[in-house]
């Protein structure tokens, strides 16, 4: 069985990439859990650091346990042929491609990839993760020079409450779109089940009743 690998990249591997990777991996359907794996790293990470309490709090809101996460630094040895690399910012994509130019067709920002999965030419056209990535690469190439959107996920470190809110909204919205695209793929096996999309908002999360309570957001302290 072919195992496809997603690597989510940010700067310190303490906020954006572990949250996005955790949300993605925790909500993949059981039928794809063995053939699609999700990891994370940071372009300037200091290895072995835990995520901040603010991120732990946000993670718990979405049913994630990030207590055991420890940061690791991105290097050439961590990148493998065939990886799909999803970056928090365009600057991270440049670092990835400096290390592994051969991954140019499978390296995106998280929000860019999410947006491309919703393009009419992509949605519903792929039967596997690899086909989905190729379709997104083709859609990006076709629209080159016409898209001026900012596809970065905001870095909330030392930022105001609005930055933390924007980080959460951008990350969960992108993950929800990506999971929706995974759900449109052909089932990986006879027992394949539908994807449970990531809630885009705290209200949706409460409606999903994933936990009995909704911890306060870090910006509401």
């Amino acid at each position: 069985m072919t195992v496809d690998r997603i690597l989510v990249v940010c700067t310190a591997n303490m906020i954006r990439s572990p949250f996005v990777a955790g949300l993605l991996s925790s909500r993949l359907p059981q039928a794809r859990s063995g053939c699609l794996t999700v990891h994370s790293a940071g372009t300037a990470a200091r290895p072995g650091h835990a995520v901040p309490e603010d991120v732990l709090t946000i993670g718990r809101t979405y049913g994630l346990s990030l207590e055991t996460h420890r940061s690791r630094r991105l290097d050439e040895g961590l990148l493998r042929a065939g990886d799909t690399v999803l970056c928090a910012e365009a600057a991270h994509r440049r670092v990835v491609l400096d290390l592994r130019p051969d991954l140019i067709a499978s390296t995106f920002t998280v929000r860019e990839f999410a947006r491309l999965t919703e393009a009419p030419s992509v949605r519903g056209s792929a039967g596997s993760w690899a086909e989905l990535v190729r379709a997104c690469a083709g859609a990006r190439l076709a629209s080159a020079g016409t898209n001026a959107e900012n596809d970065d996920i905001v870095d909330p470190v030392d930022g105001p409450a609005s930055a933390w809110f924007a980080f959460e909204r951008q990350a969960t919205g992108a993950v929800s779109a990506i999971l929706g695209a995974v759900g449109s793929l052909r089932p990986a096996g006879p027992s394949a089940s539908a994807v449970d999309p990531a809630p885009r908002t705290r209200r949706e999360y409460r409606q999903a009743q994933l936990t009995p309570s909704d911890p306060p957001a870090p910006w509401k302290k």
Side-chain angles (χ1 to χ4, degrees):
M1 179 179 64
T2 300
V3 178
D4 293 303
R5 187 170 177 266
I6 301 171
L7 182 64
V8 186
V9 174
C10 70
T11 302
N13 193 214
M14 292 173 61
I15 298 178
R16 291 174 291 179
S17 59
F19 179 72
V20 169
L23 204 55
L24 271 173
S25 60
S26 69
R27 304 189 76 82
L28 288 172
Q30 184 177 1
R32 294 197 179 274
S33 61
C35 57
L36 185 59
T37 63
V38 188
H39 309 272
S40 67
T43 58
R46 292 185 294 173
H49 285 253
V51 301
E53 185 61 36
D54 286 350
V55 184
L56 291 178
T57 301
I58 297 175
R60 293 186 192 110
T61 302
Y62 293 93
L64 301 180
S65 177
L66 298 175
E67 284 83 359
T68 61
H69 172 82
R70 294 297 180 269
S71 59
R72 61 176 177 173
R73 191 181 184 93
L74 179 73
D75 58 32
E76 186 176 353
L78 194 58
L79 296 164
R80 305 175 186 173
D83 279 354
T84 303
V85 187
L86 302 180
C87 304
E89 300 177 13
H92 302 136
R93 183 174 186 268
R94 291 191 288 272
V95 173
V96 171
L97 296 181
D98 282 344
L99 294 170
R100 290 291 300 263
D102 58 303
L103 296 179
I104 188 170
S106 59
T107 302
F108 309 79
T109 69
V110 176
R111 295 178 68 198
E112 174 191 32
F113 187 76
R115 175 170 52 76
L116 289 168
T117 64
E118 296 182 318
S121 62
V122 174
R123 179 54 63 92
S125 67
S128 68
W129 177 261
E131 290 178 1
L132 176 66
V133 174
R134 286 195 293 270
C136 286
R140 177 172 61 186
L141 186 62
S143 62
T146 64
N147 181 19
E149 292 190 45
N150 178 1
D151 286 321
D152 291 353
I153 293 178
V154 67
D155 185 352
V157 173
D158 298 326
S162 59
W164 283 93
F165 179 78
F167 151 67
E168 181 184 359
R169 176 176 52 80
Q170 292 170 357
T172 56
V175 169
S176 184
I178 293 169
L179 289 170
V182 173
S184 71
L185 302 178
R186 287 194 296 270
S191 60
S193 59
V195 170
D196 183 13
R200 290 176 181 263
T201 65
R202 291 178 180 273
R203 177 176 294 178
E204 289 182 13
Y205 174 76
R206 287 193 293 270
Q207 291 173 345
Q209 297 181 341
L210 295 179
T211 64
S213 62
D214 186 6
W219 53 86
K220 293 181 181 177
K221 291 179 180 177

